[in-house]
Amino acid sequence: MSLPGIGPLPLYGLQRPVMLLFALVPLALLAVYVLAQARRRRRLRRFTESEVPQSWWRHLPIAVALLSLLLLTVALATPTHDMRIPRNRACVVLVIDMSNSMRATDVDPNRLKAAEQAASQFASQLTPGINLGLVGFAGTPYLLVPPTPQHQATLDALKKLEFGDGTATGEAIFTALHAVGAAAITGGDTPPPARIVLLSDGGENKPTDPGDPHDGAYTAARLAKDQGVPISTISFGTKGGEIEMNGQRVAVPVSTDQMRTIARLSGGQSYTATNIAELNKSYNAIENDIGFRTVAGPGSSGWLRLGVLAALIATALALLINRRLPI
């Protein structure tokens, strides 16, 4: 729960739960107050024949004051809340299909150009501390940019993608995994968190069997799983895609089954996009997932602010209702 101007008010992950014992203090004060009010009523009855009417409003200042003590007690217990902080040293490799089917104009101006635009937006807004690399592939994969925190290198390389024959998805994943491994060696003592983002409009045809034990896409996905590098796949295009080849119109409908299987085998997520707006949305979801990590942060400040505010309200009510401080 979060209140405007106050902040989050978590009640979990207490770092000093023993401090909750201080909640006994306001409870004890409440018992003392109740006994004092009972004794006061008995004294009044000694000098009056009938019971003197008393307003319940006079109890409000002490009630709010005791509430403020409870709120401050929660702050002392130091609850925590989830915080999103940018990842450092994380490694992301974009793997983009440049096969001839990406010439299809079902996505304006064509699939590859739209993919370039969306990938450029992704690269430009990616957390600065992340190492970003780029692999382009058709029948042969090319490591165009090794993972680097200088994202401008990827932005420049994206403008130079060219079409080619064939779709060697498995080899492209192997190339990306090799790039991730090289970045892990040069980046520090422990491997950084890594992710491959694969964009394609269909299944591989080199080899024809994605389960090929040497360079099949499924084999590469299983290796990615073993190395702790999930693959986020984006199937891009529509069922009505066509290209012109040898003077004839050839249907190149988007295929999603193989891409989903690659994501599942590697432990990643799969996305589909039929236009550049959906593609940008897919990239944004991936960026939110890999650009930040969630950690437990201190959550006492909200409870402290609320406790102080309650104490100020109790003081104001005491002066307005009882004409004295609530002590």
Side-chain angles (χ1 to χ4, degrees):
M1 182 178 66
S2 182
L3 295 178
I6 298 296
L9 298 171
L11 272 174
Y12 58 90
L14 301 179
Q15 296 180 355
R16 294 186 292 178
V18 69
M19 290 296 179
L20 291 178
L21 292 175
F22 280 102
L24 297 175
V25 174
L27 294 178
L29 292 175
L30 177 61
V32 171
Y33 180 77
V34 170
L35 291 175
Q37 292 299 308
R39 292 182 59 185
R40 183 172 181 272
R41 285 194 298 271
R42 286 197 297 269
R43 286 198 306 269
L44 287 175
R45 290 196 189 100
R46 293 177 185 175
F47 303 102
T48 58
E49 295 181 357
S50 60
E51 185 173 345
V52 178
Q54 300 286 325
S55 173
W56 284 100
W57 286 103
R58 63 192 178 90
H59 302 301
L60 187 58
I62 190 66
V64 178
L66 294 177
L67 175 62
S68 73
L69 290 178
L70 288 174
L71 295 172
L72 293 173
T73 298
V74 176
L76 285 175
T78 317
T80 60
H81 71 104
D82 292 339
M83 298 175 59
R84 295 176 71 244
I85 62 175
R87 291 185 186 272
N88 291 320
R89 291 184 59 240
C91 182
V92 179
V93 178
L94 294 175
V95 180
I96 297 182
D97 185 356
M98 302 185 301
S99 60
N100 280 315
S101 61
M102 294 291 284
R103 295 179 184 270
T105 57
D106 53 337
V107 181
D108 188 53
N110 59 55
R111 291 176 180 176
L112 183 59
K113 199 66 178 177
E116 172 198 316
Q117 296 172 7
S120 296
Q121 178 174 318
F122 172 78
S124 63
Q125 68 187 22
L126 193 63
T127 306
I130 290 181
N131 292 286
L132 179 64
L134 176 64
V135 171
F137 74 99
T140 301
Y142 300 94
L143 178 61
L144 301 176
V145 180
T148 171
Q150 306 301 322
H151 299 170
Q152 187 60 45
T154 299
L155 291 171
D156 294 339
L158 283 167
K159 300 174 184 177
K160 303 175 183 178
L161 300 181
E162 297 181 354
F163 298 106
D165 295 327
T167 307
T169 308
E171 291 184 16
I173 296 174
F174 283 122
T175 301
L177 286 173
H178 180 75
V180 169
I185 293 173
T186 60
D189 297 332
T190 58
R195 179 73 58 92
I196 293 173
V197 181
L198 170 64
L199 182 144
S200 179
D201 59 358
E204 72 174 346
N205 54 28
K206 184 185 177 183
T208 55
D209 179 12
D212 186 283
H214 299 292
D215 49 9
Y218 295 167
T219 303
R222 293 187 180 95
L223 179 61
K225 174 76 171 180
D226 293 340
Q227 295 185 2
V229 184
I231 303 173
S232 295
T233 63
I234 305 176
S235 302
F236 187 44
T238 68
K239 294 293 185 180
E242 292 183 343
I243 61 172
E244 185 172 337
M245 185 174 293
N246 299 324
Q248 296 182 337
R249 301 297 295 177
V250 178
V252 284
V254 66
S255 177
T256 60
D257 292 344
Q258 191 177 115
M259 296 284 278
R260 288 174 178 167
T261 303
I262 291 172
R264 177 178 56 81
L265 291 174
S266 68
Q269 294 89 28
S270 62
Y271 302 86
T272 59
T274 60
N275 54 58
I276 193 167
E278 291 180 358
L279 183 55
N280 284 329
K281 188 180 297 185
S282 298
Y283 272 125
N284 288 338
I286 295 170
E287 197 274 335
N288 287 332
D289 184 33
I290 63 181
F292 299 86
R293 61 190 177 96
T294 302
V295 299
S300 295
S301 57
W303 291 105
L304 182 61
R305 294 189 192 99
L306 196 58
V308 171
L309 179 61
L312 293 174
I313 293 174
T315 302
L317 289 174
L319 293 175
L320 290 173
I321 297 175
N322 297 334
R323 308 296 181 184
R324 62 181 182 180
L325 295 177
I327 55 175

